[in-house]
Amino acid sequence: MTSKFLTEVQQKVVVLGDFSVGKSSLILRVSKNEFLEEQESTIGAAFINFSVNVDNKPNQIQIWDTAGQEKFRSLTPIYYRGAIGAIVVYDVSREYSFQTAKEWVEELKEKANPKLIIALCANKIDLLEEKKKLLKEKEYADENGLLIYETSAKTGKGVTEMFVDFSKNLPKDQGREIFNDDFFEEEFFNIELHNGEKKTEKTICC
Amino acid sequence: MNEKNFLSNLLTENTLSTLLEDTTKERFLEEEKRFEILQQIEGEEEEEEEEIRLRTEKRKQRVLLHQQNFNLPKTDQKGTHFKDKLRKEENSFTENNNNTNNNNNSNNKKNEKKENEKESKKLSNEGFLQLLGKITEYKLPENYQTKEKEERTTKKSKEQLEMDKMCVFEINLALELTEELLIKEEKIEKGLQNMATLYKNKKKNQKMASDYIMQASVSSNQIKLFKKQLLRNLVWIKFGSEAIDSKYAIAIDSVNETKDSYISFNENDLINVFERKKGRLKKNDWIGQINGKTGKFNPRHVHLIKSKIIDEIFDKQNKKIKSPVPKIPKKINWKYLNILEIDCEEVARQITIREFEVYEKLNFTEFLQQSWNKKKLFTRAPNIRYMISRFNELSFWCCTMILGAEKLVQRAMAVEYFIQFALHLRKFNNFNCLMAVVSALKSNPLQRLKHTFGDISLESEEHLKDLDELLNSENAFKNYRRALLEAYMEGKSAIPFIGIHLTDLTFLDDTSDTFEKNGDYSRKKMETMSKAIMSILKYQTRNYNFVPILELQKYFKDYPALESEALYELSLKREPRGVEYKNLI
């Protein structure tokens, strides 16, 4: 576990994409499966915090999800304003979702922070029966300088690897320092993720 | 033909314009009258506090009367009212008391004070007897036959009549007591709310305070119900059941009858009443229908709907909330309306009225199964989707209003106008529109105008920072959620911003499975989902008390706005890339 009074660097990452592409399920796969010792089990209803050791330094990453809010078009610029990295998700089984992903990338390049690091994530790979090689997408990624990952949230293939690899590619200078202690004060705003089994240990203070 | 058409067109346009002007003038005159009346009412309400102080003294006097009046003088057969006599006696009694007190203390006190006391007591008497007066002055319907009246009066024995009088007397005393109890409980609620605001940073105290507030509100509701029952009994004794014109009744209690001739029903059931009788004995039970069954039932377990007397009394008691006076300049061109000329507070009010109408229609079932995002289930959630589309239109409308101005000074003025507008929205707890306006000010086409935002005054810049902190996305919108809870604790009306709650619902729906291993519904999920949904819908009962203005309501039915790409091009026109400040002026 992380020690209490250690300063960490917090970095903001946004997950964007068309609706019902699997953004929230990707994040849930990350949060439920134990892939790192430092992983925290709480979700603040809208985003997840997890810390990765990069060169023996704790590096906290805040992943934002716009789940349920895709229709609020005028709200999305607020999400990607202070972000350092962005993951654009699209569905392999639907071609239309790739076009929306292209629009997202163009908008991010025009209007967002020019130092933003963008990744393309091809989700739901288990639905492809014949293993097609994603040639078009890879060409598009090479032209625009994007990272590309192949995942499936259902089977859990390549999900954790994507997040770890993406966090290593982020610039280490940017972000803001925080104390780890002040996070998640109140129970009301948090929703705990457990599979039915809940720890009912009461802590007594004073 | 052309000339004729031209002339007719001219005529119609002129007449229309004149008509419009006339209607607006008339409307304004009416509104001014209404405001004068409202101001008069405000003056009257300030006097009510004095009545409350004097009410306790009066009650003591009434208790004394109660002790004396066991040997009440019998009423005449002609029907001179018992209460009129009682009133006269009361007044004489109080006056006598005052005189005696005055005589004793005349040496010590000045005369002016005594006169004041007298006046105040008279006023309080008048205010107190409003209830009784309304009941006595109630006119019976014309169909009410006079013969039956006489028969009934003859049928009643003298003992019964005396008992009725005593009942009326006691019920009035009980009504006073209930009013005092209500005032006390309101005070308790306020104190607890203050406690909650003081200790809002600590978890435990906040929870305790919220529990107490819930208990207090429940008990106050019970007292109100008791008061209604008392009033019903009063009406019952005075006029009998037939004086009330109604056909339906609501069940207060749940009753299970074993006999076949009787009906059994649950709470809040609607009963279709066929026959009503007078008296409380078992012979005189009512006859009604529920779920196709007809039978007798006891009218004690039932409350009648549409009883005119009770509704009138309660409406006048509950109209304590004032509606604010609309701010509109008297000379305005409604045809070519420029919104920026109207006061931003008034615009905020009109938008909140319109938005609350949309928010009020949201239904519990629309939030289930993420139906606002799935194409198959669009028909399930029409109201949510309409609210979202209105949100987007509002933010684009703000952008167009700001970018519509060609000069730099005008644009800066428009930005300041919208910041003040947002502050008023915060005051009314209309978070949905607030989020739209702030997101418009933070959107891409406006954020790149650095020269216009440089011309804003420092105060409005700080206000924008404060609003940005309130709607900040850190810690899962902690500040926003706290502000919403505070509005609920203080009893204010509010409109929540749906988007945040929708993300909560999607995560809740995805994380836990709907079915357990046994095949049953998982109760945990249902409870958490219902909590999350009720946190959105619990503000639907609290209406805003603003006066709607028709022209503005029409204007805000559809926001006239450009689309996002056109807005970005327009902003590039207004301030091209790399332009210096000198060239813009």
Side-chain angles (χ1 to χ4, degrees):
Chain A
M1 295 293 288
T2 53
S3 59
K4 269 191 175 181
F5 297 102
L6 225 167
T7 52
E8 291 183 351
V9 178
Q10 195 185 40
Q11 291 176 327
K12 188 177 172 183
V13 172
V14 195
V15 180
L16 299 166
D18 206 6
F19 62 88
S20 71
V21 164
K23 298 186 293 293
S24 57
S25 57
L26 270 175
I27 287 171
L28 284 173
R29 173 61 69 178
V30 169
S31 67
K32 275 187 180 181
N33 274 13
E34 291 182 358
F35 69 99
L36 282 173
E37 287 183 351
E38 286 88 355
Q39 185 238 334
E40 283 182 313
S41 63
T42 49
I43 273 190
F47 66 94
I48 179 182
N49 270 20
F50 72 90
S51 50
V52 189
N53 280 326
V54 182
D55 300 335
N56 293 323
K57 280 183 183 177
N59 195 6
Q60 197 173 49
I61 292 171
Q62 200 179 43
I63 296 177
W64 279 88
D65 190 4
T66 59
Q69 290 187 345
E70 294 89 355
K71 296 289 170 187
F72 290 88
R73 280 180 300 155
S74 57
L75 206 73
T76 40
I78 286 176
Y79 275 97
Y80 62 72
R81 175 124 310 138
I84 297 166
I87 299 172
V88 181
V89 189
Y90 77 97
D91 190 350
V92 175
S93 58
R94 286 192 300 161
E95 285 190 4
Y96 180 75
S97 64
F98 181 64
Q99 289 179 4
T100 51
K102 275 183 181 177
E103 289 173 7
W104 275 117
V105 171
E106 283 170 10
E107 192 183 332
L108 286 172
K109 282 199 164 185
E110 271 191 13
K111 296 168 187 175
N113 181 18
K115 291 179 182 177
L116 192 79
I117 291 172
I118 307 169
L120 241 178
C121 173
N123 200 16
K124 303 191 187 180
I125 266 189
D126 55 334
L127 290 176
L128 278 181
E129 293 177 357
E130 303 169 3
K131 283 202 174 179
K132 290 178 184 175
K133 292 178 181 178
L134 304 167
L135 290 173
K136 280 182 185 177
E137 288 80 348
K138 280 177 182 173
E139 279 184 11
Y140 180 76
D142 286 335
E143 283 176 4
N144 293 305
L146 313 177
L147 303 166
I148 193 163
Y149 300 103
E150 296 174 11
T151 57
S152 79
K154 200 176 182 180
T155 57
K157 187 187 175 187
V159 179
T160 58
E161 295 153 12
M162 179 185 77
F163 279 105
V164 172
D165 193 56
F166 185 71
S167 62
K168 280 176 184 172
N169 279 316
L170 290 174
K172 290 153 198 170
D173 305 333
Q174 293 181 17
R176 53 167 203 158
E177 291 187 350
I178 46 134
F179 286 98
N180 201 17
D181 191 31
D182 286 341
F183 253 35
F184 303 114
E185 275 184 4
E186 301 187 19
E187 286 180 16
F188 183 81
F189 304 126
N190 296 333
I191 295 156
E192 291 186 356
L193 294 177
H194 292 286
N195 272 328
E197 299 168 1
K198 201 175 180 180
K199 292 177 183 177
T200 57
E201 292 178 5
K202 285 186 180 178
T203 56
I204 299 165
C205 67
C206 306
Chain B
M1 289 297 287
N2 288 324
E3 287 178 2
K4 276 184 183 177
N5 279 324
F6 181 69
L7 280 171
S8 63
N9 281 324
L10 256 179
L11 276 171
T12 48
E13 280 180 5
N14 281 321
T15 46
L16 271 173
S17 62
T18 49
L19 273 171
L20 274 170
E21 284 175 5
D22 288 334
T23 49
T24 48
K25 277 178 189 174
E26 286 174 4
R27 202 174 50 72
F28 276 122
L29 286 171
E30 286 175 4
E31 281 178 359
E32 281 178 1
K33 282 179 188 175
R34 207 187 293 158
F35 304 150
E36 286 174 4
I37 293 162
L38 277 171
Q39 285 170 4
Q40 285 177 8
I41 291 166
E42 285 174 18
E44 286 175 3
E45 284 178 354
E46 290 173 1
E47 292 173 0
E48 284 184 359
E49 292 179 358
E50 293 180 1
E51 288 183 10
I52 292 162
R53 287 178 199 166
L54 294 168
R55 202 169 277 169
T56 52
E57 295 177 9
K58 208 195 313 155
R59 197 164 64 79
K60 289 173 187 172
Q61 293 173 4
R62 298 213 93 198
V63 170
L64 280 172
L65 256 179
H66 183 61
Q67 289 173 357
Q68 286 181 4
N69 280 325
F70 275 110
N71 299 317
L72 276 172
K74 291 171 184 175
T75 51
D76 299 333
Q77 285 186 352
K78 291 174 185 175
T80 53
H81 245 291
F82 160 75
K83 260 171 203 166
D84 294 333
K85 278 197 172 184
L86 216 161
R87 256 189 235 171
K88 284 174 190 172
E89 282 178 9
E90 259 192 350
N91 288 325
S92 61
F93 183 71
T94 50
E95 281 173 7
N96 286 324
N97 273 334
N98 285 326
N99 285 325
T100 51
N101 287 322
N102 289 330
N103 287 324
N104 289 326
N105 298 321
S106 61
N107 295 322
N108 297 325
K109 290 181 180 178
K110 290 178 183 179
N111 289 321
E112 295 176 357
K113 284 187 178 177
K114 296 156 202 168
E115 288 176 358
N116 284 325
E117 282 179 3
K118 272 186 186 177
E119 286 178 356
S120 62
K121 281 186 176 175
K122 277 179 187 173
L123 272 173
S124 60
N125 274 324
E126 286 172 2
F128 165 67
L129 291 170
Q130 274 182 355
L131 269 177
L132 298 177
K134 270 158 202 165
I135 292 161
T136 50
E137 285 165 14
Y138 179 72
K139 290 175 184 176
L140 292 168
E142 292 177 359
N143 298 326
Y144 195 74
Q145 293 177 0
T146 53
K147 287 179 185 177
E148 289 181 5
K149 218 185 199 176
E150 289 173 4
E151 286 173 7
R152 272 172 198 157
T153 48
T154 50
K155 274 179 186 175
K156 264 193 177 180
S157 64
K158 289 175 184 176
E159 292 177 358
Q160 272 187 347
L161 281 169
E162 282 185 2
M163 282 295 288
D164 280 358
K165 287 162 204 166
M166 290 311 296
C167 276
V168 169
F169 195 73
E170 283 174 359
I171 287 165
N172 282 325
L173 275 175
L175 273 172
E176 276 188 69
L177 276 171
T178 48
E179 281 179 2
E180 283 179 8
L181 275 172
L182 272 176
I183 292 161
K184 270 186 188 177
E185 293 229 338
E186 283 174 3
K187 280 181 185 174
I188 291 168
E189 273 191 41
K190 280 181 185 175
L192 285 167
Q193 282 164 11
N194 289 327
M195 283 283 288
T197 48
L198 276 174
Y199 289 102
K200 65 187 174 185
N201 291 325
K202 298 177 182 178
K203 281 185 228 167
K204 291 179 183 177
N205 289 321
Q206 197 176 359
K207 280 180 183 175
M208 290 286 283
S210 64
D211 286 340
Y212 280 123
I213 288 166
M214 284 296 288
Q215 285 177 13
S217 63
V218 166
S219 59
S220 67
N221 279 325
Q222 280 180 351
I223 289 167
K224 279 175 190 171
L225 225 169
F226 181 57
K227 205 173 166 185
K228 264 194 176 182
Q229 287 181 10
L230 283 172
L231 279 167
R232 192 175 65 87
N233 286 332
L234 252 183
V235 175
W236 183 280
I237 292 162
K238 291 304 294 178
F239 304 110
S241 55
E242 289 183 2
I244 306 163
D245 308 310
S246 68
K247 289 179 181 177
Y248 290 96
I250 281 182
I252 299 164
D253 304 325
S254 55
V255 176
N256 284 318
E257 294 282 355
T258 52
K259 293 178 183 176
D260 291 335
S261 60
Y262 278 83
I263 312 170
S264 57
F265 46 82
N266 295 321
E267 268 190 23
N268 299 324
D269 277 346
L270 246 184
I271 300 166
N272 196 356
V273 181
F274 291 141
E275 231 182 284
R276 281 165 290 169
K277 291 172 187 174
K278 204 182 169 188
R280 294 186 176 185
L281 295 172
K282 269 204 169 182
K283 293 176 189 174
N284 300 322
D285 282 341
W286 293 6
I287 296 169
Q289 192 181 35
I290 188 168
N291 297 330
K293 281 185 180 180
T294 55
K296 290 179 182 178
F297 63 94
N298 199 341
R300 279 183 196 176
H301 308 296
V302 149
H303 178 65
L304 279 166
I305 307 172
K306 287 183 185 176
S307 53
K308 285 180 184 175
I309 308 162
I310 293 168
D311 286 342
E312 279 178 10
I313 290 166
F314 267 90
D315 283 338
K316 280 175 187 173
Q317 281 181 359
N318 288 328
K319 274 182 183 175
K320 285 182 180 176
I321 307 158
K322 314 158 198 171
S323 57
V325 182
K327 294 176 184 175
I328 283 183
K330 287 185 178 178
K331 288 178 182 177
I332 219 171
N333 193 0
W334 289 106
K335 259 190 172 180
Y336 306 104
L337 204 147
N338 188 10
I339 283 285
L340 302 183
E341 287 177 3
I342 303 169
D343 198 327
C344 51
E345 190 174 2
E346 189 52 41
V347 178
R349 278 176 195 157
Q350 298 302 319
I351 283 181
T352 47
I353 293 169
R354 183 85 188 109
E355 202 64 31
F356 193 83
E357 284 178 12
V358 180
Y359 165 69
E360 211 176 11
K361 287 175 187 170
L362 288 180
N363 201 4
F364 193 89
T365 53
E366 293 182 31
F367 294 94
L368 302 172
Q369 236 169 335
Q370 304 181 31
S371 51
W372 64 91
N373 257 348
K374 294 174 183 171
K375 270 189 179 178
K376 288 178 184 175
L377 309 175
F378 274 179
T379 51
R380 272 194 199 177
N383 293 322
I384 291 175
R385 293 180 59 75
Y386 182 56
M387 208 166 168
I388 290 168
S389 69
R390 273 186 72 79
F391 178 92
N392 290 325
E393 282 171 11
L394 211 172
S395 58
F396 290 139
W397 175 73
C398 288
C399 289
T400 48
M401 290 300 284
I402 291 166
L403 288 172
E406 290 183 12
K407 291 180 182 176
L408 195 141
V409 183
Q410 291 175 350
R411 253 177 278 146
M413 290 282 280
V415 170
E416 282 192 351
Y417 179 89
F418 276 105
I419 288 166
Q420 291 245 330
F421 172 69
L423 283 174
H424 286 299
L425 287 174
R426 169 73 189 87
K427 198 173 71 186
F428 302 141
N429 291 320
N430 184 355
F431 292 106
N432 197 27
C433 294
L434 214 182
M435 196 77 185
V437 173
V438 173
S439 68
L441 290 172
K442 290 280 167 186
S443 64
N444 288 317
L446 286 186
Q447 200 64 27
R448 59 176 295 284
L449 308 174
K450 285 172 185 173
H451 295 302
T452 50
F453 277 86
D455 272 3
I456 301 169
S457 64
L458 284 172
E459 288 182 9
S460 47
E461 215 169 281
E462 287 179 3
H463 287 313
L464 228 183
K465 275 185 184 176
D466 290 342
L467 287 172
D468 211 32
E469 276 189 12
L470 195 139
L471 301 176
N472 201 359
S473 51
E474 284 180 2
N475 289 334
F477 296 92
K478 199 175 178 181
N479 297 327
Y480 157 75
R481 282 173 210 255
R482 188 171 282 169
L484 232 188
L485 256 182
E486 276 179 13
Y488 182 69
M489 300 283 249
E490 290 166 7
K492 289 175 182 174
S493 43
I495 302 173
F497 169 60
I498 298 183
I500 294 158
H501 301 288
L502 292 181
T503 52
D504 291 356
L505 285 171
T506 48
F507 271 100
L508 282 171
D509 200 21
D510 286 340
T511 48
S512 49
D513 300 323
T514 45
F515 295 103
E516 286 179 354
K517 289 174 184 175
N518 305 327
D520 300 331
Y521 277 104
S522 70
R523 201 184 157 187
K524 257 188 188 176
K525 187 180 176 178
M526 295 301 133
E527 282 177 354
T528 46
M529 287 281 282
S530 66
K531 266 186 190 174
I533 293 169
M534 283 313 291
S535 69
I536 307 169
L537 297 180
K538 69 185 171 186
Y539 301 90
Q540 277 185 342
T541 54
R542 297 174 179 176
N543 283 314
Y544 285 94
N545 57 333
F546 302 140
V547 184
I549 292 165
L550 285 174
E551 279 85 357
L552 286 173
Q553 291 290 321
K554 275 180 194 171
Y555 182 84
F556 289 123
K557 213 168 190 177
D558 296 314
Y559 297 105
L562 297 173
E563 288 188 357
S564 59
E565 293 175 2
L567 280 171
Y568 199 74
E569 286 175 7
L570 224 171
S571 78
L572 281 173
K573 263 188 186 178
R574 291 280 182 258
E575 276 188 26
R577 280 167 188 163
V579 166
E580 291 182 0
Y581 186 73
K582 294 171 187 175
N583 295 328
L584 282 171
I585 299 167

